[in-house]
C-alpha cells in the first residue's frame, strides 16, 4: 500500500487551511496597527480599505496626538488601568490561592457545600449583580473610587477552582513534613506551598490581569469622573463627545493592546501549560 | 488546627456574602418593588408582568438565538482545529494556536472599533470591496436587518473565542491515552472512525464544560452589541440582548425594579440550563469523588 503521498497531501492541506485561517485572524489587528500611524480623516470616511493594508505614508502624528488629549488624560487612564490591574491581580492571586488551599487540604464540615458553591458561583452572570452592587457601592460610598472597581473581583471562584485543582496535584508529604518540623498551618501555606506554586500563579496572573485590563461594564458603571477612567472606558468616550477622534482612538487602542500581546507572547508557554494542567480534565 | 480550615475559607465566605448573596437577594427583593429616589414601594408581581412587552421578547429571542448559534459554531470548529493542532509539527502547531488565541486578548472596545472600520459603509471599505467581487452592492452592514446583525455578532464571537475553546479541547485531547489510537490503527480504523469513536466520546467532559460556559457567555452577552452599535440602541433593536435590556431599564431609564426582574429571569435561565446540563452528564458526581 502506498500511503505516503496520501498523508503528505493531508499535511499540506492542513497547513494551507491553518495559514489561511491565521491570516484572516490577523487582518483586523494588522489593519489596526497600520491605521494607527495614519491620519484619521480617510479612516473615518472609508473605513479600512485594501489600500490601508499596504504600509505606506506612516507617521507618528497620532502618537503625539495622544499627549494632547486634555493635557495627557490618555496616560492618566493608562496609569489607572495599570494600577487597578496590579492591585486586583495581586489580591486575587493571594485570596483565591488561600481559599483553595483550605478547600483542598482539609476535610472539614461544610467542605463539600463550599466547594459546590464555588462551582455554582462560576455560573452566576456578573451582569445580574451589577444593579445591586451599584446600589451597594453608593451605600458604602465607593462610587467613582478604584476600590469599588476591584473589590468585588478579588475573590474569584474561577481562580479558586483552578488553584484547588493545582494544589490537589501536589504531594501531600510536604504538608506532613512541615507539621513534623513544627510549622503552624498558615506557615505551611506561606512557606511551603506558596513557594512551589509559581507556575500556577503565573498562569492565573496573566489570566486575571487580562480580565482586569479589558474589563468594561463594571468600571463603566462605577467610575464617573474622566480622570478616574480606565483605558477601555476612556477610549470609548473618545468616540463621541470629542467628534469621533478616530485617529487618536485607533492609536490609543493599539497602545492599549500592545502590552497585553507582548506579555502573552513572552509567557504563553507558561500560560497555556497552566491553563491546560489546571483547567478541565478530559 | 480545627479553626484553620475556616480561616482559610473565610475570604471566600465574606466575598460570597457581600458580593454574591447580598446582591442576589437584594435583586430578588427589588424585583417586587417600585424604586423611587429615596423611597420604595412593594408592587408584587407587576415588574414581572411588565416583561410581557415586545422589547423583552426581542431581547430574549436574540440572546437565545445567539447562544444556540455560538454553541453550534464554537464547539465543532474549535474541536476539529484542536484535533488538527494535536498532530504533526509541535512548533508550528503552537504558533498557529497562539495566533488564533491572540484576538481574545483584545479589549471589546478595540475589537468593536476595528470591526466597525472593516464594515464601514463606503464602497471602498474592505468588506464592501470583497462583497463587490461577488457582485453585491456596497451597504451599511451595521444597519441591516436582524439576520445580518446576528451574523456580525457571530463573526465577532468566532474571531474572539475560537482560540480559547481550542485550548480547552487541546487540554482534553492530551488526556486521551495514545494506546487507544494504536489499538484502533491495528484494527484498521480510518481517521474519521477514530475521530467519531474515540476522540469525540472521550472529549465528553470538555465538551460539557465548553457548552456550559457558552450558555453562560451567550446569555450574558451585552458588551459586543453595545460596542458594535457605538453605545446607541441598534436599529430596530436587532442587537438587543437580555443584559442590554437590563442595562437600559436600570441605568438609562432608572427602572430598578423592572431591571431586577430581568436579572432574576436571566439568572433562572442560565442556572436551569447549565445545572441541568451538568447534572445530566453527572459532572458534579465526579467532582465530589476526589
Amino acid at each position: 500500500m502506498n500511503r505516503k503521498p496520501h498523508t503528505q497531501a493531508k499535511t499540506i492541506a492542513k497547513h494551507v487551511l491553518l495559514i489561511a485561517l491565521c491570516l484572516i485572524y490577523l487582518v483586523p489587528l494588522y489593519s489596526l496597527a497600520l491605521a494607527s500611524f495614519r491620519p484619521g480623516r480617510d479612516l473615518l470616511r472609508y473605513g479600512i480599505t485594501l489600500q490601508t493594508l499596504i504600509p505606506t505614508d506612516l507617521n507618528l502624528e497620532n502618537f503625539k496626538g495622544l499627549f494632547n488629549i486634555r493635557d495627557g488624560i490618555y496616560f492618566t487612564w493608562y496609569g489607572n488601568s495599570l494600577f487597578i490591574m496590579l492591585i486586583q491581580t495581586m489580591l486575587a492571586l493571594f485570596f483565591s490561592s488561600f481559599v483553595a488551599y483550605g478547600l483542598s487540604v482539609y476535610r472539614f464540615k461544610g467542605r463539600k457545600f463550599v466547594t459546590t458553591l464555588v462551582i455554582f458561583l462560576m455560573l452566576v452572570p456578573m451582569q445580574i449583580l451589577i444593579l445591586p452592587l451599584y446600589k451597594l457601592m453608593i451605600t458604602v460610598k465607593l462610587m467613582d473610587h478604584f476600590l469599588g472597581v476591584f473589590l468585588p473581583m478579588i475573590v474569584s471562584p474561577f481562580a479558586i477552582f483552578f488553584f484547588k485543582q493545582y494544589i490537589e496535584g501536589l504531594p501531600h508529604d510536604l504538608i506532613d513534613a512541615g507539621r513534623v518540623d513544627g510549622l503552624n498551618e498558615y506557615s505551611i501555606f506561606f512557606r511551603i506551598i506558596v513557594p512551589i506554586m509559581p507556575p500556577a500563579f503565573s498562569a492565573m496572573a496573566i489570566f486575571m490581569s487580562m480580565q482586569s485590563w479589558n474589563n468594561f461594564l463594571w468600571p463603566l458603571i462605577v467610575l464617573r469622573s474622566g480622570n478616574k477612567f480606565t483605558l477601555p472606558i476612556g477610549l470609548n468616550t473618545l468616540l463621541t463627545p470629542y467628534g469621533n477622534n478616530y485617529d487618536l482612538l485607533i492609536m490609543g487602542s493599539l497602545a492599549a493592546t500592545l502590552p497585553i500581546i507582548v506579555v502573552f507572547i513572552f509567557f504563553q508557554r507558561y500560560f497555556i501549560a497552566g491553563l491546560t494542567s489546571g483547567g478541565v480534565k478530559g | 488546627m480545627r479553626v484553620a480550615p475556616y480561616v482559610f475559607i473565610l475570604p471566600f465566605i465574606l466575598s460570597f456574602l457581600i458580593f454574591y448573596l447580598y446582591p442576589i437577594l437584594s435583586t430578588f427583593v427589588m424585583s417586587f418593588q417600585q424604586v423611587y429616589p429615596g423611597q420604595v414601594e412593594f408592587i408584587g408581581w407587576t415588574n414581572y408582568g411588565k416583561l410581557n412587552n415586545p422589547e423583552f421578547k426581542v431581547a430574549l429571542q436574540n440572546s437565545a438565538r445567539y447562544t444556540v448559534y455560538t454553541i453550534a459554531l464554537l464547539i465543532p470548529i474549535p474541536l476539529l482545529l484542536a484535533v488538527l493542532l494535536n498532530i504533526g509539527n509541535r512548533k508550528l502547531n503552537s504558533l498557529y494556536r497562539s495566533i488564533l488565541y491572540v484576538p481574545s486578548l483584545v479589549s471589546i472596545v478595540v475589537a468593536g472599533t476595528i470591526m466597525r472600520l472593516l464594515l464601514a459603509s463606503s464602497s471602498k471599505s474592505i468588506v464592501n470591496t470583497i462583497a463587490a467581487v461577488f457582485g453585491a452592492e456596497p451597504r451599511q452592514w451595521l444597519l441591516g436587518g436582524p439576520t445580518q446583525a446576528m451574523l456580525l455578532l457571530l463573526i465577532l464571537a468566532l474571531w474572539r473565542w475560537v482560540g480559547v475553546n481550542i485550548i480547552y479541547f487541546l487540554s482534553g485531547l492530551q488526556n486521551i491515552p495514545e494506546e487507544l489510537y494504536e489499538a484502533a490503527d491495528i484494527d484498521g480504523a480510518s481517521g474519521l472512525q477514530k475521530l467519531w469513536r474515540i476522540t469525540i466520546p472521550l472529549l465528553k467532559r470538555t465538551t460539557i464544560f465548553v457548552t456550559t460556559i457558552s450558555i453562560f457567555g451567550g446569555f450574558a452577552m451585552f458588551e459586543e452589541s453595545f460596542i458594535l452599535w457605538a453605545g446607541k440602541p441598534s436599529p430596530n433593536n436587532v442587537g438587543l440582548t437580555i443584559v442590554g435590556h437590563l442595562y437600559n431599564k436600570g441605568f438609562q431609564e432608572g427602572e430598578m425594579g423592572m431591571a431586577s426582574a430581568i436579572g432574576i429571569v436571566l439568572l433562572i435561565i442560565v442556572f436551569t440550563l447549565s445545572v441541568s446540563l451538568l447534572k445530566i452528564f453527572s459532572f458534579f458526581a465526579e467532582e465530589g469523588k476526589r
Side-chain angles (χ1 to χ4, degrees):
Chain A
M1 291 278 264
N2 189 1
R3 283 183 60 185
K4 226 176 168 198
H6 180 59
T7 43
Q8 242 176 14
K10 264 190 182 168
T11 313
I12 292 168
K14 168 190 156 177
H15 288 292
V16 169
L17 173 78
L18 284 164
I19 290 169
L21 197 64
C22 285
L23 286 178
I24 295 172
Y25 268 62
L26 286 178
V27 163
L29 292 172
Y30 171 76
S31 52
L32 170 81
L34 286 188
S36 57
F37 294 102
R38 288 206 180 96
R41 244 174 305 114
D42 290 356
L43 199 61
L44 188 58
R45 195 180 308 154
Y46 302 120
I48 290 168
T49 66
L50 282 179
Q51 281 86 347
T52 55
L53 295 184
I54 304 160
T56 48
D57 304 327
L58 307 180
N59 62 60
L60 283 171
E61 289 309 307
N62 297 337
F63 188 68
K64 285 189 215 151
L66 283 183
F67 289 88
N68 298 330
I69 317 169
R70 286 195 285 158
D71 306 323
I73 201 170
Y74 176 83
F75 296 94
T76 310
W77 296 335
Y78 219 99
N80 294 346
S81 270
L82 269 178
F83 176 77
I84 292 176
M85 178 179 92
L86 281 176
I87 301 279
Q88 183 179 322
T89 305
M90 285 191 316
L91 292 178
L93 289 184
F94 170 69
F95 284 120
S96 309
S97 60
F98 192 77
V99 172
Y101 180 80
L103 278 180
S104 41
V105 167
Y106 303 102
R107 299 286 168 267
F108 58 94
K109 222 179 151 196
R111 170 179 166 272
K112 229 188 141 182
F113 174 74
V114 177
T115 308
T116 314
L117 201 58
V118 170
I119 297 171
F120 267 105
L121 293 193
M122 284 165 48
L123 300 176
V124 174
M126 172 75 196
Q127 285 83 345
I128 78 136
L129 305 179
I130 53 175
L131 214 65
L133 278 179
Y134 163 75
K135 279 183 67 189
L136 179 72
M137 290 303 144
I138 295 174
T139 319
V140 295
K141 300 205 162 52
L142 283 182
M143 279 300 281
D144 206 22
H145 203 294
F146 290 158
L147 268 178
V149 177
F150 64 75
L151 223 46
M153 317 283 173
I154 55 171
V155 182
S156 150
F158 177 75
I160 295 178
F161 184 71
F162 175 85
F163 284 129
K164 187 174 142 314
Q165 304 259 64
Y166 189 86
I167 296 171
E168 273 161 8
L170 297 173
H172 266 223
D173 305 352
L174 286 170
I175 297 165
D176 295 333
R179 288 196 183 120
V180 172
D181 286 348
L183 290 175
N184 70 36
E185 299 301 310
Y186 313 102
S187 310
I188 292 175
F189 173 69
F190 285 111
R191 293 172 54 183
I192 297 180
I193 302 300
V194 170
I196 53 174
M197 282 178 71
F201 280 136
S202 32
M204 266 304 105
I206 299 171
F207 190 81
M208 298 270 135
S209 44
M210 284 185 320
Q211 270 200 333
S212 164
W213 185 261
N214 289 331
N215 198 0
F216 183 72
L217 185 56
W218 181 237
L220 178 73
I221 285 160
V222 177
L223 299 173
R224 286 292 130 105
S225 30
N227 61 0
K228 294 235 174 99
F229 284 168
T230 56
L231 261 180
I233 311 300
L235 284 176
N236 195 45
T237 63
L238 276 187
L239 266 179
T240 32
Y242 310 104
N244 286 340
N245 293 319
Y246 260 97
D247 35 9
L248 297 184
L249 173 76
I250 298 293
M251 177 47 91
S253 301
L254 181 74
T257 306
L258 221 51
I260 281 288
I261 294 184
V262 171
V263 167
F264 175 73
I265 290 169
F266 268 100
F267 294 100
Q268 59 119 342
R269 216 187 267 165
Y270 245 172
F271 178 56
I272 289 170
L275 271 192
T276 45
S277 71
V280 267
K281 307 274 183 198
Chain B
M1 173 86 186
R2 237 188 248 153
V3 220
Y6 297 100
V7 175
F8 276 109
I9 61 164
L10 188 67
F12 172 73
I13 300 297
L14 285 177
S15 121
F16 166 69
L17 294 176
I18 302 169
F19 298 121
Y20 290 91
L21 189 65
Y22 162 76
I24 292 172
L25 288 179
S26 100
T27 301
F28 187 70
V29 172
M30 257 200 296
S31 72
F32 294 102
Q33 291 173 334
Q34 173 86 271
V35 186
Y36 302 108
Q39 64 165 48
V40 290
E41 187 193 328
F42 272 89
I43 52 168
W45 291 91
T46 316
N47 286 322
Y48 290 92
K50 280 201 245 167
L51 293 185
N52 190 11
N53 72 66
E55 244 189 319
F56 181 71
K57 277 182 203 151
V58 170
L60 194 63
Q61 250 177 18
N62 284 344
S63 288
R65 280 214 191 105
Y66 179 80
T67 308
V68 171
Y69 295 149
T70 42
I71 290 173
L73 292 171
L74 281 169
I75 290 185
I77 296 174
L79 196 155
L80 292 176
L81 287 171
V83 170
L84 277 185
L85 290 177
N86 204 31
I87 43 173
N89 187 318
R90 258 165 195 265
K91 277 211 167 124
L92 272 178
N93 282 343
S94 76
L95 181 68
Y96 293 135
R97 185 194 60 198
S98 301
I99 291 175
L100 296 176
Y101 190 85
V102 161
S104 75
L105 306 172
V106 175
S107 157
I108 182 65
V109 178
V110 179
T113 310
I114 302 175
M115 192 140 165
R116 283 211 302 265
L117 289 172
L118 291 169
L119 294 166
S121 56
S122 90
S123 60
K124 286 175 86 179
S125 81
I126 201 160
V127 174
N128 276 331
T129 314
I130 296 168
V133 175
F134 295 97
E137 292 287 306
R139 55 165 122 180
Q140 297 200 301
W141 292 92
L142 284 163
L143 302 180
T147 317
Q148 198 171 299
M150 183 60 70
L151 199 67
L152 300 182
L153 287 168
L154 290 174
I155 290 172
L156 186 58
L158 269 177
W159 186 64
R160 293 184 82 210
W161 303 122
V162 157
V164 176
N165 286 0
I166 286 178
I167 290 187
Y168 287 130
F169 283 118
L170 273 173
S171 78
L173 285 174
Q174 276 157 17
N175 288 307
I176 300 180
E178 197 57 44
E179 297 84 57
L180 287 175
Y181 292 107
E182 284 161 13
D185 275 334
I186 295 168
D187 292 343
S190 72
L192 212 59
Q193 280 175 320
K194 281 187 278 184
L195 177 71
W196 197 248
R197 297 275 170 84
I198 302 175
T199 311
I200 292 178
L202 286 178
L203 280 178
K204 196 183 91 180
R205 255 177 91 80
T206 315
T207 312
I208 299 163
F209 175 80
V210 176
T211 313
T212 316
I213 55 173
S214 305
I215 292 175
F216 175 90
F219 275 102
M221 192 272 278
F222 161 62
E223 297 175 349
E224 283 81 346
S225 191
F226 186 80
I227 292 294
L228 223 46
W229 284 279
K232 293 184 243 7
S234 50
N236 295 321
N237 286 331
V238 290
L240 185 71
T241 65
I242 301 184
V243 177
H245 195 43
L246 184 154
Y247 181 84
N248 291 343
K249 285 291 162 200
F251 291 97
Q252 313 285 38
E253 297 169 29
E255 287 224 39
M256 295 287 212
M258 189 176 169
S260 300
I262 299 169
I264 293 296
V265 172
L266 175 66
L267 184 69
I268 292 171
I269 295 174
V270 173
F271 243 65
T272 318
L273 287 178
S274 39
V275 171
S276 41
L277 190 70
L278 294 176
K279 263 253 141 56
I280 292 170
F281 293 101
S282 59
F283 199 83
F284 288 128
E286 285 170 50
E287 187 54 42
K289 254 187 243 159
R290 252 179 287 184

